[in-house]
Amino acid sequence: MNFVALFIQRRVLAYMLSAALLLFGFIGLSGVGLDRLPNVEPPMIAITTINSGASPEVMDASVSSVIESAVNSIAGIENIESTSSPGVSQVWVQFIFSKNTDVAFNEVQAKINQVINDLPREVETPIVVKMDLNAAPIVWLVLKGDRPLSELNQLARTRIKRQLENINGVGGVSVGGGRERKIRVDLDLQRLSSLGISAQQVIAAFSREHIQLPGGYLVGDMQEKMLHLDLEFHSTAELAQLVVVWREQVPVTLGDIADISDGLDDKRGLARFNGDDVLAIAVRKVSNANTVKIVDELKRRLDEVIVPALPDGVELLVAKDESSIISGTANALKNHIVEGTLLAAFVVWLFLLNLPATLIITAAIPVSLAGAVVVMFFGGYTFNIMTLSGLLLLIGVVVDDAIVVLENIHRHLEAGDTDRIRAATNGTREVVFAVLAASLTLVCIFATVIFMEGMVGIFMRSFAVVVSGGVITSLFVSLSLTPALCARFLSHSDVESRAIVKWISRLHQQMDKAYSRLLAFSLKHRITVLAATALLVASTGWFMGQLGSEFFPEDDESRFSLTLKAPLGSSIDYIEQKIGDMEMILNDIPEVTRVLSTVGSGQGSEVNEAQLNVILLGKEQRSRSQSAIMQQVRTAAGDVIGVQAYVNVYPMFGANSGEPFNAYITGPDLYRVAELAEQFMQRLKNDPRMGDVRMELKLDRPQLYFDVDRNRAQALGISTQQIGDTVRVLAGGADIAKYNALPGDGERYDIRLAAKREGMRAQRDIENVYLQGPEGGLIPLDAVVQVEESLGPATVERRDLNFGANFSSTPAVDLGQAVEIFQGLGDELLPPGYQVALAGQAQELGKSANAILFVFATGLILVYMVLASQFNSFLQPVLVMLAQPLAIVGGIIALWLVGHTLNIYSMIGMVLLVGLVSKNSILLVDLINRYRAEGMDTMTAISQACPRRMRPVMMTSLTIVLAMLPAAIGVGEGAGQYGPLAVAVVGGVISSTLLTLIVVPVAYSMLERWLAVK
């Protein structure tokens, strides 16, 4: 073939092209980011609307429902979810993955603009943002010291936050656990009533007296002066002199009716680190940035700039660092790549007993990996579990083509051809089509991945790009660099020169003889061989039934999360006490090193729920597994009375919960959904297979209901608006103005108006509030309002415009079985109009099963097309494709033996086997056909071809097995994630290799009359 002869005759051209690939790969290394998982950017849009103090039912009816109805008409929506909590409405619009995120954002924003006037006038403008599942904090810092939290908060926001925000790759920095500075105006209700002053008059006084106005300019003949109309008060002492009203020519000032202080916001959140009160600082990255580089730069800046400038007695510590897990997993996979390269080289030497040949094969590895890196660079992919696993696999795959070419050239030299150029040319020409077909079968398996949607499509796409790029590069290398190097350096080695080589050579001969005898036996008992093989393939169904199914496998990351949930209505002081009790339990566990506890860290978060992030010693430093420690914590948490405790692994994506099982029951009536949800809970609690189930819909939040006597109120000249404003300001408190000190720090702070806490603690205190009548007289609130205590929802959730109750848990069984249990309950308990809706990993699991079947089916069709084109036959591809079921058998049995489940990684491994194992049968059938074309009868051709091809088949298979073996064994961090992929590949390659060497020749012999060879 002219293409091959070109590189053999012009070897320097082959060297330079490969060197160029290495150069571009080296350059690309610096531009490829490092992350834990592929960049998952689903087209999800979030709409957040604030209406401080509004109840969940009000937020749902007046905000969430309006927004959901508006956006529901947009094309391409997969589902809509909303959560209405006190003062906050959050709506999430999930589009199908093929939807362009920018288009989706613009369409949602346009719909919000159309209905913005339909929202209550008190609400803030809805905020529309694109959701980023990778936007979880990559670092948690804690600031603590011998200073008040207000001073630490000021330090964190004005100095530390600004220093961190300008680090390249940082997308945002948020501070939690502190309390914002507030100018507090606490009204004395008794003084107000005695002076006949209402809350509305106080608010009106601020609007009248505490103002800033644009003044313009005073222009003279030769100069102009700006009019600075800053008419605000700039100290608490000045604020005390603000005149509210006049009584009998005497001014009543704000100081006469209120206590004014430069204080803090209401306590609605906290952060603790190892039992100490701290400020928590979360650092997030921008999409596709290199997490490890960001964290390294952050730590450098902490050490060199920020920490040295901190006041004495103040510490800034790293509480949680995502980069350690990422770098640990990446380093483990990099070590596996090095180990795999060395093992592949050893296998080549073991079979060829030729050092130059070993070095020639090994040279294909870095060049092919460099080609894959170049593809990653231009494709915008990062180094992560999927792409690094692809590179690891490539070590075994990319040498296959080079091994086939070199081994055939080596046989020509063994046969006595002394002209290396002729041997290289003839040896390569004989196998070029087999090598081409073998490579294309692997590439075409991933061709259909571009049609896959959902998260499994994103994961497979990144893996497919790396593997396809490397395989195409290896094909080029095997037809250019490998024959060029063979023509220059390869020679027939003298196997008699050393004892060890002589011993291995005899072992080769014995192996060849043993295989020849086994092949002859199989050809004499063809029916028995095929029947036994069919039974083995049929057994796959039983083994697959024993495998559980889940989306992500659990991994030991040396960390877990603990959620504490107190009864609705519990105060923040109550939950803080329970956090302390839980921290004491964790302190008694020797493997626990750090505990970061937060309350109110998310928008709309309730103060009755706490999140504890528990960091453990590394795996190599402890004798117990993470799951064993988590089980101990679950048991011990039962001793903390008054809270529910949920122990979970960390979520793979920050926007998701840690529980693998997540589902809704939905319907048109909120209270009927709640009744059905309680029935579900009773059944699920009694089923130990479902683990600790958490149900979010609670209708027992204590609340006060205000029943206004509207006729009486109108008769007295009192408006409903006046009633609402008075109760809102005095009981709940309201920010009514802005304030800044002179001289100050350049920041403006809210002025919060409320009644004194000691005068507003119970229902009777609200009833004693006075309203101002139209003639200035005071009317008690209970004259026009009846206040009743009732129960209401803590949050109102919707899914696809129906009310929903969310269930989540970490099941004791696999995720697939948990889904079956939950759906079975739905069939039994739910009436018409109410249904089960899966979410999170449970939803993606269902999608992934269909997606994998699609890839299997279309991949097999494409493989058949490639093979039919290669062999110019419709029947021979079927013979070659016998390797696929033989590989699936080994992959499934290997997963069952090791104890893995069917998950996103193992399923990718099974898909990979479909293209991977065809190479062996291609080599066998191709040579049998060639011998038959030369005039041999079928049995002689099989007896001659198969032993000759046995060595390259064993070499190619062993390189893959040994390259993936360290990952399959579970050595290194992250092995729980990529381990199932490696196990499936190793098991499938072993079974396919052993069975293909027997089954394919036997099947060929039985089909010989239909296998015409031209």
Side-chain angles (χ1 to χ4, degrees):
M1 189 177 186
N2 291 335
F3 178 83
V4 175
L6 170 67
F7 290 108
I8 294 175
Q9 297 295 332
R10 302 181 64 86
R11 293 190 292 272
V12 175
L13 174 62
Y15 302 160
M16 291 302 101
L17 288 175
S18 297
L21 277 174
L22 286 172
L23 176 62
F24 289 137
F26 180 77
I27 295 172
L29 278 175
S30 60
V32 178
L34 180 63
D35 216 331
R36 185 183 180 195
L37 294 171
N39 187 33
V40 179
E41 291 185 340
M44 180 184 289
I45 309 299
I47 307 108
T48 303
T49 311
I50 306 295
N51 186 9
S52 298
S55 69
E57 288 175 295
V58 169
M59 293 302 297
D60 174 72
S62 62
V63 180
S64 299
S65 178
V66 174
I67 291 175
E68 286 184 350
S69 299
V71 302
N72 189 52
S73 60
I74 298 174
I77 290 178
E78 185 168 348
N79 55 64
I80 302 175
E81 295 181 7
S82 72
T83 299
S84 301
S85 52
V88 180
S89 162
Q90 293 177 296
V91 180
W92 296 274
V93 186
Q94 172 72 61
F95 292 86
I96 58 177
F97 272 76
S98 59
K99 183 87 170 184
N100 182 278
T101 305
D102 293 328
V103 172
F105 175 83
N106 292 333
E107 290 178 342
V108 170
Q109 184 69 71
K111 291 294 184 181
I112 297 300
N113 292 339
Q114 292 174 11
V115 300
I116 198 165
N117 291 329
D118 297 334
L119 301 177
R121 62 181 179 83
E122 300 86 4
V123 305
E124 300 178 12
T125 303
I127 300 172
V128 182
V129 298
K130 303 173 189 175
M131 286 288 289
D132 184 1
L133 295 186
N134 295 298
I138 57 174
V139 175
W140 278 95
L141 305 174
V142 293
L143 183 68
K144 65 177 185 176
D146 55 1
R147 308 293 176 96
L149 275 181
S150 58
E151 187 175 335
L152 293 177
N153 187 63
Q154 185 77 1
L155 180 64
R157 294 181 183 276
T158 59
R159 291 171 57 181
I160 298 173
K161 184 173 182 284
R162 294 172 182 174
Q163 287 277 357
L164 297 176
E165 284 175 330
N166 59 16
I167 294 176
N168 185 33
V170 169
V173 179
S174 56
V175 180
R179 296 164 65 186
E180 293 279 356
R181 182 183 176 188
K182 293 270 187 180
I183 305 302
R184 304 193 67 95
V185 179
D186 297 327
L187 297 172
D188 187 326
L189 295 182
Q190 292 184 348
R191 291 287 294 162
L192 286 176
S193 60
S194 64
L195 293 171
I197 300 174
S198 67
Q200 285 79 15
Q201 289 176 299
V202 178
I203 296 172
F206 270 93
S207 301
R208 185 179 64 247
E209 302 294 336
H210 185 76
I211 59 174
Q212 287 182 342
L213 296 173
Y217 297 88
L218 178 63
V219 181
D221 293 335
M222 302 298 293
Q223 64 177 353
E224 66 177 15
K225 297 180 180 179
M226 179 176 285
L227 303 180
H228 181 55
L229 296 182
D230 182 359
L231 307 179
E232 290 185 347
F233 299 95
H234 295 291
S235 70
T236 53
E238 292 178 5
L239 271 175
Q241 301 305 313
L242 184 151
V243 176
V244 179
V245 295
W246 288 77
R247 289 289 183 264
E248 299 178 356
Q249 306 301 314
V250 176
V252 178
T253 64
L254 189 62
D256 295 331
I257 58 173
D259 292 338
I260 306 167
S261 61
D262 189 343
L264 299 173
D265 196 1
D266 296 335
K267 187 176 181 181
R268 301 291 298 173
L270 62 85
R272 291 163 61 98
F273 182 63
N274 291 343
D276 298 327
D277 290 332
V278 298
L279 282 180
I281 303 172
V283 181
R284 292 173 171 83
K285 71 180 183 71
V286 297
S287 179
N288 240 24
N290 190 319
T291 302
V292 176
K293 282 187 177 180
I294 295 172
V295 176
D296 288 344
E297 172 59 21
L298 183 146
K299 290 179 177 178
R300 185 199 65 79
R301 190 166 296 190
L302 288 179
D303 294 338
E304 298 179 6
V305 179
I306 299 176
V307 172
L310 293 176
D312 293 337
V314 177
E315 293 181 275
L316 184 61
L317 307 173
V318 177
K320 190 162 75 76
D321 176 6
E322 196 72 22
S323 71
S324 59
I325 294 176
I326 295 172
S327 58
T329 302
N331 289 335
L333 282 167
K334 288 175 184 176
N335 291 337
H336 295 337
I337 289 173
V338 174
E339 294 161 358
T341 302
L342 296 175
L343 288 172
F346 174 72
V347 168
V348 173
W349 178 85
L350 191 64
F351 277 89
L352 296 181
L353 301 176
N354 189 311
L355 185 58
T358 302
L359 296 177
I360 291 170
I361 297 297
T362 307
I365 296 176
V367 178
S368 300
L369 295 185
V373 171
V374 171
V375 173
M376 288 174 58
F377 176 81
F378 287 106
Y381 294 94
T382 62
F383 287 118
N384 52 65
I385 284 181
M386 296 309 304
T387 53
L388 287 172
S389 296
L391 292 175
L392 177 61
L393 174 73
L394 280 175
I395 293 169
V397 172
V398 299
V399 298
D400 286 1
D401 296 336
I403 285 174
V404 172
V405 171
L406 184 143
E407 194 274 340
N408 210 47
I409 296 172
H410 191 259
R411 281 192 177 274
H412 275 267
L413 294 175
E414 283 184 329
D417 193 339
T418 57
D419 187 338
R420 287 185 296 196
I421 293 179
R422 185 172 59 246
T425 304
N426 295 335
T428 305
R429 183 180 293 117
E430 289 176 0
V431 296
V432 65
F433 283 110
V435 168
L436 180 63
S439 297
L440 289 180
T441 55
L442 185 56
V443 172
C444 71
I445 280 295
F446 294 110
T448 55
V449 170
I450 60 176
F451 300 107
M452 291 181 66
E453 295 188 358
M455 197 171 295
V456 67
I458 293 175
F459 273 68
M460 283 202 68
R461 200 168 295 127
S462 60
F463 186 84
V465 165
V466 172
V467 174
S468 299
V471 168
I472 292 173
T473 306
S474 74
L475 175 62
F476 170 76
V477 170
S478 66
L479 298 179
S480 59
L481 181 64
T482 301
L485 290 173
C486 289
R488 175 65 180 85
F489 298 105
L490 188 63
S491 61
H492 176 50
S493 60
D494 182 6
V495 299
E496 304 296 329
S497 59
R498 291 185 299 275
I500 183 66
V501 175
K502 184 177 179 180
W503 180 81
I504 296 174
S505 179
R506 286 200 304 269
L507 187 64
H508 288 173
Q509 295 171 4
Q510 293 173 5
M511 188 169 62
D512 290 343
K513 292 178 182 178
Y515 173 62
S516 297
R517 288 194 296 268
L518 179 61
L519 180 62
F521 175 84
S522 301
L523 291 172
K524 291 179 181 178
H525 302 83
R526 294 181 295 181
I527 301 299
T528 302
V529 169
L530 293 180
T533 304
L535 287 175
L536 182 61
V537 173
S539 70
T540 305
W542 183 86
F543 285 105
M544 185 173 289
Q546 303 305 305
L547 295 178
S549 59
E550 57 188 344
F551 193 69
F552 285 120
E554 186 175 335
D555 191 17
D556 190 328
E557 297 181 338
S558 301
R559 61 178 187 171
F560 61 89
S561 67
L562 172 61
T563 301
L564 297 181
K565 200 157 190 178
L568 289 171
S570 301
S571 68
I572 194 168
D573 294 327
Y574 178 87
I575 195 69
E576 185 174 11
Q577 178 186 341
K578 299 305 176 181
I579 290 173
D581 295 342
M582 196 68 234
E583 286 173 340
M584 291 179 64
I585 292 174
L586 293 172
N587 288 338
D588 292 335
I589 299 176
E591 293 90 349
V592 174
T593 60
R594 287 165 285 163
V595 180
L596 174 63
S597 309
T598 58
V599 176
S601 57
Q603 201 165 43
S605 299
E606 294 282 350
V607 298
N608 69 315
E609 186 169 333
Q611 191 75 29
L612 282 71
N613 303 283
V614 184
I615 312 299
L616 307 176
L617 292 170
K619 284 195 298 185
E620 68 283 353
Q621 298 175 285
R622 49 186 163 86
S623 57
R624 293 194 298 169
S625 67
Q626 174 183 296
S627 58
I629 298 170
M630 290 171 63
Q631 186 56 47
Q632 179 187 352
V633 174
R634 284 192 187 98
T635 304
D639 297 333
V640 182
I641 306 299
V643 291
Q644 292 176 308
Y646 303 93
V647 182
N648 297 300
V649 297
Y650 261 79
M652 295 299 291
F653 298 100
N656 299 330
S657 63
E659 296 96 335
F661 177 78
N662 202 297
Y664 290 84
I665 58 171
T666 64
D669 184 275
L670 175 63
Y671 291 90
R672 180 61 175 146
V673 168
E675 291 176 9
L676 294 169
E678 286 299 329
Q679 295 178 31
F680 265 69
M681 276 300 292
Q682 293 304 318
R683 296 284 292 273
L684 294 173
K685 282 182 177 178
N686 295 327
D687 192 336
R689 296 174 296 174
M690 291 300 294
D692 294 329
V693 182
R694 175 165 50 165
M695 193 266 288
E696 295 296 339
L697 180 57
K698 302 292 184 183
L699 301 183
D700 54 353
R701 180 188 181 90
Q703 62 182 17
L704 295 178
Y705 175 74
F706 292 82
D707 184 11
V708 179
D709 187 337
R710 298 180 185 272
N711 293 332
R712 181 169 174 77
Q714 289 182 4
L716 294 173
I718 303 295
S719 68
T720 305
Q721 179 72 46
Q722 186 178 352
I723 296 171
D725 285 344
T726 300
V727 173
R728 178 175 66 91
V729 171
L730 295 180
D735 297 331
I736 60 168
K738 291 289 187 179
Y739 166 92
N740 63 280
L742 289 178
D745 56 9
E747 301 286 335
R748 286 177 64 78
Y749 301 96
D750 290 318
I751 297 177
R752 188 163 187 81
L753 183 65
K756 288 183 179 180
R757 291 298 92 189
E758 58 268 21
M760 189 61 66
R761 291 187 176 274
Q763 177 178 333
R764 62 178 180 274
D765 296 324
I766 295 179
E767 294 171 344
N768 292 332
V769 167
Y770 287 89
L771 306 169
Q772 186 176 32
E775 298 180 358
L778 295 182
I779 300 170
L781 181 68
D782 59 3
V784 292
V785 175
Q786 182 177 356
V787 183
E788 299 177 352
E789 188 169 352
S790 64
L791 298 176
T795 59
V796 177
E797 294 193 6
R798 289 176 180 263
R799 183 176 173 90
D800 296 331
L801 279 69
N802 282 319
F803 293 106
N806 178 251
F807 294 80
S808 56
S809 76
T810 301
V813 294
D814 63 89
L815 182 58
Q817 191 173 348
V819 169
E820 291 179 2
I821 294 170
F822 194 83
Q823 289 179 329
L825 281 179
D827 295 338
E828 178 183 347
L829 299 177
L830 294 182
Y834 295 80
Q835 56 274 329
V836 168
L838 300 178
Q841 292 188 36
Q843 183 183 22
E844 289 295 334
L845 179 63
K847 292 180 185 178
S848 64
N850 295 328
I852 294 297
L853 287 175
F854 170 78
V855 171
F856 260 114
T858 53
L860 286 172
I861 293 172
L862 287 174
V863 168
Y864 176 85
M865 291 177 176
V866 170
L867 295 175
S869 303
Q870 157 67 18
F871 292 106
N872 194 30
S873 167
F874 292 107
L875 184 57
Q876 289 199 22
V878 177
L879 191 63
V880 172
M881 291 174 67
L882 286 174
Q884 271 88 2
L886 302 180
I888 298 301
V889 170
I892 294 295
I893 293 177
L895 290 171
W896 176 74
L897 288 173
V898 178
H900 287 309
T901 60
L902 281 176
N903 52 63
I904 187 170
Y905 297 103
S906 56
M907 285 189 286
I908 290 174
M910 301 303 292
V911 170
L912 181 64
L913 285 173
V914 174
L916 202 59
V917 299
S918 298
K919 289 188 175 186
N920 294 337
S921 48
I922 288 173
L923 293 176
L924 294 177
V925 173
D926 179 69
L927 190 57
I928 294 172
N929 286 342
R930 196 189 318 159
Y931 283 172
R932 288 184 65 196
E934 292 173 359
M936 289 187 186
D937 64 88
T938 301
M939 286 301 188
T940 304
I942 292 174
S943 301
Q944 293 292 322
C946 291
R948 179 176 174 181
R949 283 292 187 235
M950 189 265 291
R951 193 182 302 181
V953 165
M954 293 295 292
M955 271 196 291
T956 56
S957 298
L958 273 177
T959 53
I960 295 174
V961 169
L962 293 179
M964 301 298 288
L965 193 59
I969 293 173
V971 179
E973 289 192 42
Q977 297 292 321
Y978 56 77
L981 187 154
V983 168
V985 170
V986 169
V989 170
I990 290 175
S991 68
S992 174
T993 301
L994 297 178
L995 293 173
T996 298
L997 289 171
I998 300 301
V999 175
V1000 169
V1002 168
Y1004 193 108
S1005 68
M1006 297 187 71
L1007 298 174
E1008 63 172 312
R1009 71 182 66 179
W1010 296 285
L1011 298 176
V1013 178
K1014 298 180 181 180

